[in-house]
Amino acid sequence: MSSAKTTASANTEFPNRVFSGVQPSGAITLGNYLGAIRNFVRLQDEMECIYCVVDLHAITVWQDPAELANQTREITAAYLASGIDPKRSIIFNQSMVSAHAELGWLFSCVARMGWMNRMTQFKDKAGKNREKVALGLFAYPALMAADILAYKATHVPVGDDQKQHLELTRDIAAKFNYDFCGEDQPGYFPITEPIIQGSATRVMSLRDGSKKMSKSDPSDMSRINLTDDADAIALKIRKAKTDPEVLPGGEALSEDGQGLSDTLRSERPEAANLLSIYAAMSDQSLAQVIEAKQGHSFADFKKDLTEVVVERFSPISAEMQRLMDDKAEVDAVLRDGAERAAAIAEPILRGAYDRVGLLKP
Ligand code: TYM
């Protein structure tokens, strides 16, 4: 786990800057909210922040062209409704700033096949279909590194599943610096720090505690969407998979008392998941939740969980709905954000071209 306050020493020469993104590949979930967006909101008080809707990433798997633009607006609406302030932070969609694709190509020439071959998310997404998936799905992490480094971002808030991609981003930055800056310190690109924070950095499916909650899961019952109404949330939580026991006591905590024990996570993954969601959504520590809820039945606990989720999401989904009815407002935010983003990224891209020896007279 990393904190925004601990900046890598290699980065002291780079001003603190946050970059992160969400793919417009489906409805935004409780996992996206707790793993990422909630931290995006908080970080605005600490650093300059750039938040992107990564539409070029979304098309690495099939997206219905008639739906994609709306999904992009929906993620933008979710950013705004959750509390990202477009005056303080930059909000835009990736395809509007060509520096992402251009730097992505440079990084495709820096990253090694061996590194890319190790990416577990590619293996998961491609499955047995490796020969038939898009080349872009394989190259995806090089584009992700470009997103971040086009702004020389020093900090990237994400959920736990993006950790490996951020390690690759660090490797790409270090190799670029080594290849094109020689001994010059600190090099051209910062070595980015992940920010993986909160008690729910990996929210699991409501139907299967061993699978990540995902917007691309075919079962809508596996996830809570930011746009779900109170009835849908109640139904999904009521139907969420559990086990026959009651809620655990202090033995369920890890040794340092901060997290959940590995035993609970492996033997009762659904209980671990619901407890983590409850702690994160009610802004309590896991220790507080376990103390208050030990011995309770899942039936009772699920009612309390529904209450905190509905309370948090109702105003967000109402505001999202308002914004989705006012596309002009959303589009204006994206246009303004893209202009401000391009103004930062263009000179950084030019500097990279220059170091590589690409002529831009
Ligand atoms: P994406 O769109 O899958 O998810 C967006 C963010 O939500 C987090 N997340 C979760 N966190 C906790 N539990 C879950 N079940 C869960 N599901 C998703 C993700 O970790 C992520 O932070 N590759 C990225 C998008 C991206 C990006 C970037 C992120 C492209 N370029 C540059 C940061 C910086 C992705 O697919 O996220």
Side-chain angles (χ1 to χ4, degrees):
M1 200 183 287
S2 155
S3 148
K5 302 235 161 60
T6 51
T7 307
S9 57
N11 283 341
T12 49
E13 314 259 345
F14 295 92
N16 280 344
R17 183 177 279 154
V18 168
F19 181 94
S20 198
V22 176
Q23 294 192 63
S25 52
I28 197 149
T29 70
L30 175 69
N32 299 132
Y33 179 77
L34 289 179
I37 295 180
R38 204 163 78 137
N39 289 334
F40 296 1
V41 176
R42 187 179 51 74
L43 283 163
Q44 295 182 109
D45 299 329
E46 295 177 27
M47 295 181 210
E48 176 191 9
C49 295
I50 304 173
Y51 297 124
C52 188
V53 184
V54 287
D55 48 6
L56 295 175
H57 277 97
I59 59 168
T60 56
V61 297
W62 171 251
Q63 301 296 331
D64 181 349
E67 289 289 316
L68 183 57
N70 255 337
Q71 286 171 192
T72 298
R73 290 191 181 101
E74 194 171 292
I75 305 289
T76 311
Y79 281 175
L80 295 167
S82 302
I84 298 174
D85 173 0
K87 293 203 174 61
R88 275 199 290 165
S89 302
I90 294 177
I91 299 178
F92 72 107
N93 58 311
Q94 189 185 21
S95 56
M96 299 257 284
V97 178
S98 60
H100 292 248
E102 292 184 59
L103 192 59
W105 179 254
L106 292 198
F107 288 167
S108 286
C109 301
V110 171
R112 306 288 94 181
M113 287 294 284
W115 302 356
M116 307 299 274
N117 271 327
R118 283 195 283 277
M119 294 297 115
T120 54
Q121 197 162 77
F122 173 75
K123 290 182 200 160
D124 290 347
K125 285 198 173 175
K128 294 198 185 74
N129 215 13
R130 249 183 117 105
E131 294 297 312
K132 297 224 173 99
V133 295
L135 174 59
L137 190 66
F138 187 70
Y140 179 115
L143 181 60
M144 181 161 159
D147 299 337
I148 296 163
L149 297 174
Y151 303 91
K152 296 195 176 182
T154 50
H155 294 83
V156 181
V158 282
D160 186 65
D161 62 325
Q162 296 301 315
K163 212 166 165 180
Q164 195 185 32
H165 288 158
L166 290 180
E167 276 157 18
L168 187 91
T169 300
R170 293 163 69 95
D171 289 343
I172 289 176
K175 181 160 166 58
F176 185 98
N177 289 348
Y178 181 83
D179 288 350
F180 299 110
C181 307
E183 298 295 302
D184 290 352
Q185 287 301 323
Y188 190 63
F189 288 116
I191 306 300
T192 301
E193 283 287 297
I195 299 178
I196 301 174
Q197 264 178 354
S199 28
T201 56
R202 188 174 180 79
V203 178
M204 308 309 276
S205 157
L206 298 179
R207 308 300 294 166
D208 176 352
S210 67
K211 257 175 57 186
K212 193 186 74 168
M213 182 181 285
S214 163
K215 39 177 138 65
S216 49
D217 192 312
S219 163
D220 192 53
M221 291 299 283
S222 70
R223 61 179 162 261
I224 294 172
N225 305 313
L226 229 60
T227 46
D228 283 342
D229 62 21
D231 288 345
I233 293 171
L235 177 71
K236 287 175 179 182
I237 293 180
R238 199 165 65 242
K239 296 256 174 199
K241 186 174 169 203
T242 50
D243 56 48
E245 293 171 51
V246 293
L247 289 172
E251 74 286 355
L253 288 168
S254 56
E255 263 173 34
D256 65 2
Q258 302 297 310
L260 294 172
S261 69
D262 291 342
T263 318
L264 187 84
R265 286 189 186 286
S266 64
E267 290 175 7
R268 303 184 64 191
E270 285 83 17
N273 190 36
L274 297 184
L275 283 166
S276 306
I277 295 173
Y278 186 87
M281 291 299 267
S282 62
D283 292 316
Q284 295 180 68
S285 68
L286 282 158
Q288 284 171 319
V289 172
I290 284 185
E291 197 187 320
K293 304 290 177 194
Q294 67 172 309
H296 288 210
S297 70
F298 276 109
D300 285 346
F301 178 63
K302 282 176 165 183
K303 287 188 194 130
D304 299 342
L305 180 60
T306 301
E307 211 169 282
V308 292
V309 176
V310 168
E311 193 178 296
R312 175 78 62 123
F313 279 2
S314 295
I316 297 180
S317 72
E319 175 63 0
M320 277 179 76
Q321 193 53 56
R322 188 193 70 76
L323 288 162
M324 290 305 285
D325 291 339
D326 187 359
K327 294 195 173 46
E329 183 178 338
V330 172
D331 290 359
V333 166
L334 292 173
R335 263 196 313 275
D336 172 65
E339 242 174 63
R340 287 154 64 201
I344 300 172
E346 280 302 323
I348 293 174
L349 176 69
R350 272 192 167 258
Y353 273 9
D354 190 47
R355 276 174 176 71
V356 175
L358 298 170
L359 193 58
K360 276 226 168 181

